[in-house]
Amino acid sequence: MIPSTLLVPKPEGLYCPPGDFYIDPVKRVDHALITHGHSDHARKGHTHVMATAPTLAFMRARYGANFARQSTVTEFGTAHNINGVDVSFHPAGHVLGSAQIRLSMNGMTIVASGDYKREPDPASEDFEVVPCDVFITEATFALPIFRHPPALEEINKLIASVNLFPDHVHVVGAYSLGKTQRVLGLLRSAGYEKPIYIADSAVLMTQIYADHGIEFGDIREANKTPPRDLIGAIIVGPHGKGMGLDRPDIPPVRRSFASGWLSVKSKRWSGNVDFPLVISDHCDWDELCTTIRETGAREIWVTHGSEAALIHWCRSEGLTARPLHLVGYDGEDQ
Amino acid sequence: MQYFSHLLDNLYEEQNIKRRITLFADYLDQANIEDRGTALSLLTGTARLPKIKSAALLEILKCRTDPVLLEHSSNFVSDVTEAIALSWPGSGDLQISLTEIVDRFVNSSADRLALVTKWLDDLPHNQRWCLTKLVTGAMHHKVLGIDPDSARMALAMLSNVSSQALAQAWCASEPPYRELFQWLDNQAPKPKSEFSENLPAHPVISVDAPDNAFQPFTLSLAGPLVMVCSMGNELRIVTLNGDDLTTLASDLLPNFRFEGVMIGSLAIIQNGKALSHNDLTRRLSRPKPTKKILDELPLHFIALDYLHDGTTNLKSFPLHLRLGNLELQIAKLDHPRFHFGPGIAALVFDRKGLRGHPLKSITTGIWWRDQTRLYQHETHWFHQPFPPMQSHFILLYVEDKTDGTGKLCTIGVFPHEGTTPVPIGRCLVSANNPDSAAIAKYVKENLVQKFGPVREITHTRERGLIIEVSYSGASASRRHKARLQLNDVGFVGLGLMTTPADLPELEELQTELIDM
């Protein structure tokens, strides 16, 4: 069986003709399998959706109860048979509930990994290597210049800054789903025991983490805290009004941003950042290469990011590689 | 090296001066005594290091990595040295002190490139950026470095030494400042030199009304106050902020054929007329001025005070006696580049009083001083700025600042008999200003078109929003269609009683502002 009879890229997303379903479609379709809850992968309006419980919870929180006509919860590792295609979900380590989707039929196995990371994360499941024939990988940080430092090391920089500037409030910009909770988890792992404040828009997502058994200790809403209590505190979450920094008498702010992109200084992504925190929810270059080797796949399909560099590397390793040119997967979850 | 690399990472992003000082003080606290001095000289730009070219490093890297991947990478990273640091393969665990790196780098001559390559191999990945910046001479003063003032404040945070004593010891010790740090650690006596003992006090610049003893002293000029010191073998020119201009003013200094210490201002004077402050900045901003710039922009020294005449310390004399000596000394020097400052002053209270004055274009106000005072550590120089001019202009474009702090308003004037106004300057209307809402309303109702965040609004002879602004003056501009730009524009209020037809025209402004 050749891989493209099992899975083909279409304008709506990756399509499985024998199973008649899409993976992370960007347009409304009848049957959708969703890898994780970020809004560029999980869109509303599909008829049938299959995903892990946290992913469905995130979609419900974001789009309301009618985000899909029908939804099916799946567990990691549970095998399903959809129109003759064996389908199972495996942890991807990107955010809570993020999955790689394994498709298998007539001896051909394809793994669509969605977004994934290898570094251990207190706020999500650990990545699982799924052997396959064709591995579909993201390429967000697929350049050799990207080598993410250990996240705990970066968090210690934040704590050092809090100690050095005790009269400031430290603000860490982070996407509301995934990054915020990762920063919270890392702060607790690093031994930070004081209350941590979060932005309005991260409250709901953090609650869903708690519902799934991932708690971060004393978490409070920055917006509802008197400004004087924010002296020496850390606020995490998406930048904006929800942090309550537009109120009078806010202590001086030291701004940071948690993102893998900040490892390249000269890009000056960070015009509004006083110190960078290189914490990423994606693999860096070395991890991408390791993962591709470990899956044992002979053919690699590359989506969103620096495809060209990764494809060049795959070919130099003797693997078949092709870009998928899928549109619509950039932006907010990076 | 680990601490220093971490410091550079921090300084690269941090813009706030107070926090930069704290970061630097924190580094000085952690580093050992040798590294402190080395770091200080590197960051303040006083260290003279050899350089290697980043292109040479790139060539070596090309042989070690996949050239295609390297090309993808350096296309992504806009900075070559950073691309090299990030793409260098592997990661080592070399522990090496900053001083050792600098010393070995300076002392090796032929094999410098090999030395750096070895370090790049052996250093941990996150310290390579710091190394490439160091060896390619990219520790630029403004981005990574610290100005001497801030550095001294960081030193003061760590020790209980007065700023005057700190400044004296600073000037008396040479980079890499070993004696200075030994003195701060109580391991050595305070470093001394003829030069540092004669450091002038900083004038206390105050706009409060001075008491009766004070009289108008001289014109205050845009640009730094400097001290020229010619004592024994030392011949130096330093700004009162601690920047050493000795190499920059190389065309001026050899003409100081006297022994002593003077305070004065610098100006670019050509054909008997001072050029703008912009030209002075151009002249002083290059590490090595080209011959063309030296010819085009001759540096002049305007003497204002005399602290030492080579044999006697004049600080114990009242000002009028010091000035008498200064005038004699300048007359004796008899050189077209040296002027006696207090002689230039005339009794003027605004810009109009300076009509035709050679220094008009760079004068910002008047210094007031007490002629009977001795020279003290806290010398009171009162600065009376010229009152700003105010005028009405028509609003052309409005742009909301992305950080929400206000609106940038472009103002313009009509050329004579023209129907389309030309831009002449910009002012910021703070978001807290009560008129901000009125401007926003007008923009909404009279929008012509958008250019990204910029809103063009109706501005004709018949209809337009008039705002009143204050400005310190105007200068010729090559960027503006009006060939004229207003300086230091500030928003005063809405000119609701004025119509576009009442506004001054461009030609009037030109004669009034430039030719007066």
Side-chain angles (χ1 to χ4, degrees):
Chain A
M1 186 174 190
I2 59 168
S4 57
T5 53
L6 186 55
L7 203 60
V8 283
K10 280 193 161 191
E12 292 87 355
L14 279 172
Y15 179 61
C16 173
D20 189 26
F21 57 81
Y22 290 84
I23 296 175
D24 289 353
V26 293
K27 294 181 182 164
R28 294 179 179 199
V29 298
D30 278 345
H31 290 270
L33 272 53
I34 307 292
T35 57
H36 66 281
H38 279 146
S39 58
D40 52 341
H41 291 258
R43 314 229 175 194
K44 68 171 175 181
H46 307 308
T47 315
H48 301 275
V49 168
M50 179 187 267
T52 58
T55 304
L56 291 174
F58 295 134
M59 291 175 79
R60 193 169 295 117
R62 193 171 268 149
Y63 304 130
N66 296 326
F67 69 96
R69 195 165 300 163
Q70 192 185 345
S71 59
T72 311
V73 182
T74 178
E75 298 285 326
F76 286 124
T78 309
H80 301 265
N81 192 298
I82 305 179
N83 303 336
V85 183
D86 291 327
V87 175
S88 55
F89 284 58
H90 303 269
H94 179 56
V95 297
L96 181 65
S98 66
Q100 316 170 65
I101 299 177
R102 178 183 181 275
L103 313 177
S104 182
M105 191 184 188
N106 300 344
M108 164 63 59
T109 307
I110 300 184
V111 169
S113 64
D115 291 340
Y116 62 101
K117 80 166 176 293
R118 300 299 301 268
E119 204 184 358
D121 176 357
S124 90
E125 305 85 1
D126 286 345
F127 180 89
E128 176 189 321
V129 176
V130 185
C132 55
D133 301 310
V134 178
F135 185 61
I136 306 178
T137 178
E138 54 141 334
T140 310
F141 291 109
L143 282 172
I145 49 173
F146 289 110
R147 276 191 261 175
H148 302 324
L152 215 49
E153 216 172 79
E154 295 293 295
I155 279 297
N156 284 330
K157 283 184 193 168
L158 172 64
I159 294 174
S161 173
V162 172
N163 294 334
L164 189 60
F165 300 100
D167 54 338
H168 281 56
V169 51
H170 283 68
V171 171
V172 181
Y175 185 54
S176 61
L177 165 57
K179 196 68 69 67
T180 296
Q181 292 76 20
R182 181 155 188 229
V183 172
L184 295 178
L186 285 166
L187 276 168
R188 294 304 183 211
S189 313
Y192 185 82
E193 285 169 355
K194 290 194 228 163
I196 309 175
Y197 299 85
I198 56 175
D200 273 0
S201 45
V203 172
L204 198 55
M205 297 299 167
T206 311
Q207 184 55 46
I208 295 175
Y209 271 70
D211 295 345
H212 287 85
I214 299 179
E215 306 259 6
F216 304 104
D218 190 355
I219 303 294
R220 304 180 187 176
E221 288 180 50
N223 219 350
K224 295 181 181 161
T225 307
R228 64 176 180 281
D229 292 355
L230 292 176
I231 296 171
I234 301 176
I235 305 182
V236 190
H239 279 299
K241 294 224 161 177
M243 286 194 175
L245 296 177
D246 49 353
R247 294 175 292 169
D249 302 331
I250 288 285
V253 176
R254 192 155 198 248
R255 300 157 305 169
S256 181
F257 199 79
S259 168
W261 294 113
L262 295 180
S263 60
V264 179
K265 294 188 177 63
S266 54
K267 278 285 182 188
R268 287 259 175 195
W269 307 100
S270 46
N272 292 323
V273 168
D274 298 326
F275 70 108
L277 286 177
V278 186
I279 299 177
S280 175
D281 282 345
H282 296 262
C283 284
D284 64 11
W285 173 257
D286 293 338
E287 290 166 345
L288 283 172
C289 297
T290 314
T291 310
I292 289 173
R293 285 195 189 113
E294 284 176 1
T295 58
R298 301 306 303 162
E299 187 166 341
I300 310 297
W301 296 355
V302 186
T303 71
H304 56 290
S306 317
E307 290 105 331
L310 193 58
I311 285 170
H312 172 82
W313 177 84
C314 290
R315 288 181 183 156
S316 70
E317 291 280 303
L319 305 172
T320 311
R322 56 176 281 217
L324 283 186
H325 299 305
L326 294 175
V327 288
Y329 300 114
D330 316 311
E332 52 186 357
D333 66 330
Q334 297 164 2
Chain B
M1 187 67 178
Q2 183 198 348
Y3 292 137
F4 186 68
S5 160
H6 185 51
L7 171 71
L8 277 201
D9 287 348
N10 274 320
L11 288 180
Y12 188 80
E13 300 288 347
E14 185 55 81
Q15 311 280 317
N16 180 296
I17 289 182
K18 273 189 188 168
R19 288 199 291 258
R20 287 174 76 90
I21 293 171
T22 312
L23 287 169
F24 186 49
D26 184 49
Y27 166 78
L28 291 177
D29 201 24
Q30 294 173 340
N32 66 36
I33 192 161
E34 286 194 331
D35 281 0
R36 288 178 196 176
T38 314
L40 185 62
S41 58
L42 284 173
L43 292 176
T44 51
T46 48
R48 295 273 168 264
L49 288 192
K51 287 180 201 172
I52 57 172
K53 290 216 159 85
S54 50
L57 282 176
L58 195 61
E59 283 304 314
I60 293 176
L61 184 56
K62 272 181 191 162
C63 307
R64 297 180 171 216
T65 55
D66 185 323
V68 179
L69 290 178
L70 182 60
E71 197 183 332
H72 280 301
S73 299
S74 44
N75 284 348
F76 181 83
V77 185
S78 44
D79 174 19
V80 180
T81 47
E82 185 174 14
I84 293 168
L86 290 175
S87 312
W88 204 272
S91 182
D93 52 4
L94 177 68
Q95 302 277 340
I96 185 170
S97 81
L98 174 67
T99 311
E100 192 183 342
I101 285 197
V102 170
D103 287 350
R104 284 177 62 189
F105 183 63
V106 171
N107 295 330
S108 67
S109 50
D111 54 344
R112 223 164 253 151
L113 195 59
L115 194 63
V116 173
T117 313
K118 179 91 176 54
W119 282 331
L120 278 170
D121 285 338
D122 295 346
L123 276 175
H125 179 242
N126 57 6
Q127 294 176 24
R128 289 173 177 160
W129 180 75
C130 171
L131 181 72
T132 52
K133 289 288 164 197
L134 198 151
V135 297
T136 54
M139 292 230 174
H140 191 266
H141 204 56
K142 296 287 185 289
V143 182
L144 293 173
I146 300 208
D147 63 295
D149 246 9
S150 306
R152 275 197 291 272
M153 285 168 86
L155 289 178
M157 278 173 83
L158 293 175
S159 54
N160 294 322
V161 183
S162 78
S163 62
Q164 180 77 2
L166 198 57
Q168 283 179 350
W170 168 287
C171 290
S173 59
E174 292 285 315
Y177 305 109
R178 294 277 144 73
E179 309 91 334
L180 176 69
F181 283 102
Q182 280 167 358
W183 168 64
L184 287 174
D185 270 14
N186 296 323
Q187 294 172 8
K190 184 176 160 191
K192 274 188 176 179
S193 82
E194 283 288 336
F195 171 79
S196 69
E197 290 305 305
N198 284 295
L199 271 184
H202 281 243
V204 176
I205 297 174
S206 158
V207 288
D208 298 340
D211 64 37
N212 289 337
F214 283 80
Q215 292 167 355
F217 170 62
T218 184
L219 301 177
S220 76
L221 306 180
L225 279 178
V226 296
M227 173 182 75
V228 180
C229 176
S230 168
M231 301 286 285
N233 292 328
E234 272 185 312
L235 179 58
R236 288 164 80 172
I237 178 163
V238 188
T239 71
L240 296 201
N241 288 333
D243 289 334
D244 197 331
L245 303 180
T246 310
T247 47
L248 285 174
S250 53
D251 56 332
L252 184 67
L253 270 191
N255 302 315
F256 274 97
R257 291 197 195 84
F258 76 107
E259 285 269 304
V261 179
M262 286 182 193
I263 298 180
S265 285
L266 292 176
I268 304 287
I269 299 181
Q270 211 177 44
N271 303 328
K273 219 171 167 189
L275 303 186
S276 68
H277 178 50
N278 194 8
D279 290 314
L280 181 65
T281 314
R282 252 174 74 208
R283 170 67 180 78
L284 294 180
S285 58
R286 295 177 170 236
K288 275 184 198 160
T290 58
K291 187 167 182 308
K292 187 172 166 228
I293 285 204
L294 285 177
D295 291 345
E296 269 180 12
L297 306 171
L299 202 56
H300 287 238
F301 178 75
I302 297 165
L304 297 177
D305 207 341
Y306 203 18
L307 304 189
H308 203 292
D309 68 357
T311 51
T312 324
N313 190 342
L314 300 176
K315 288 181 181 177
S316 51
F317 290 91
L319 177 62
H320 62 91
L321 287 182
R322 298 204 301 274
L323 291 182
N325 276 343
L326 179 65
E327 192 165 11
L328 282 177
Q329 183 65 54
I330 295 288
K332 217 163 84 186
L333 272 172
D334 190 25
H335 192 277
R337 295 271 189 109
F338 300 115
H339 310 269
F340 178 59
I344 296 172
L347 254 182
V348 283
F349 293 97
D350 57 18
R351 273 185 189 74
K352 286 195 177 134
L354 279 175
R355 190 175 289 263
H357 194 284
L359 295 179
K360 183 190 152 277
S361 62
I362 50 170
T363 307
T364 58
I366 302 285
W367 289 117
W368 290 58
R369 295 184 74 182
D370 181 351
Q371 297 270 346
T372 59
R373 279 209 187 197
L374 314 183
Y375 193 90
Q376 296 165 327
H377 168 47
E378 294 270 301
T379 317
H380 289 270
W381 298 40
F382 285 96
H383 184 244
Q384 180 198 25
F386 285 148
M389 292 180 268
Q390 289 195 356
S391 204
H392 289 87
F393 294 95
I394 189 164
L395 193 58
L396 306 184
Y397 308 100
V398 178
E399 177 186 353
D400 277 329
K401 289 193 74 178
T402 45
D403 55 3
T405 51
K407 297 177 174 11
L408 278 172
C409 297
T410 307
I411 51 175
V413 286
F414 289 99
H416 185 55
E417 293 189 345
T419 51
T420 320
V422 287
I424 197 168
R426 287 206 301 182
C427 67
L428 178 68
V429 181
S430 155
N432 300 329
N433 194 308
D435 290 330
S436 179
I439 294 178
K441 184 163 179 279
Y442 189 88
V443 170
K444 205 171 174 190
E445 290 167 359
N446 295 278
L447 183 68
V448 176
Q449 55 179 327
K450 297 177 183 176
F451 304 95
V454 181
R455 307 279 181 267
E456 182 181 358
I457 57 172
T458 315
H459 45 75
T460 62
R461 285 270 188 188
E462 292 75 35
R463 187 171 161 71
L465 186 66
I466 310 298
I467 63 174
E468 188 176 11
V469 299
S470 64
Y471 51 97
S472 67
S475 52
S477 163
R478 278 185 291 186
R479 283 195 308 116
H480 290 73
K481 242 185 211 169
R483 293 282 169 260
L484 182 76
Q485 67 174 342
L486 301 182
N487 301 335
D488 310 325
V489 189
F491 179 74
V492 177
L494 295 177
L496 295 175
M497 307 298 283
T498 322
T499 63
D502 303 337
L503 297 177
E505 287 180 339
L506 177 60
E507 286 72 13
E508 286 172 47
L509 278 177
Q510 276 167 341
T511 48
E512 196 181 310
L513 293 171
I514 285 202
D515 305 331
M516 75 182 190

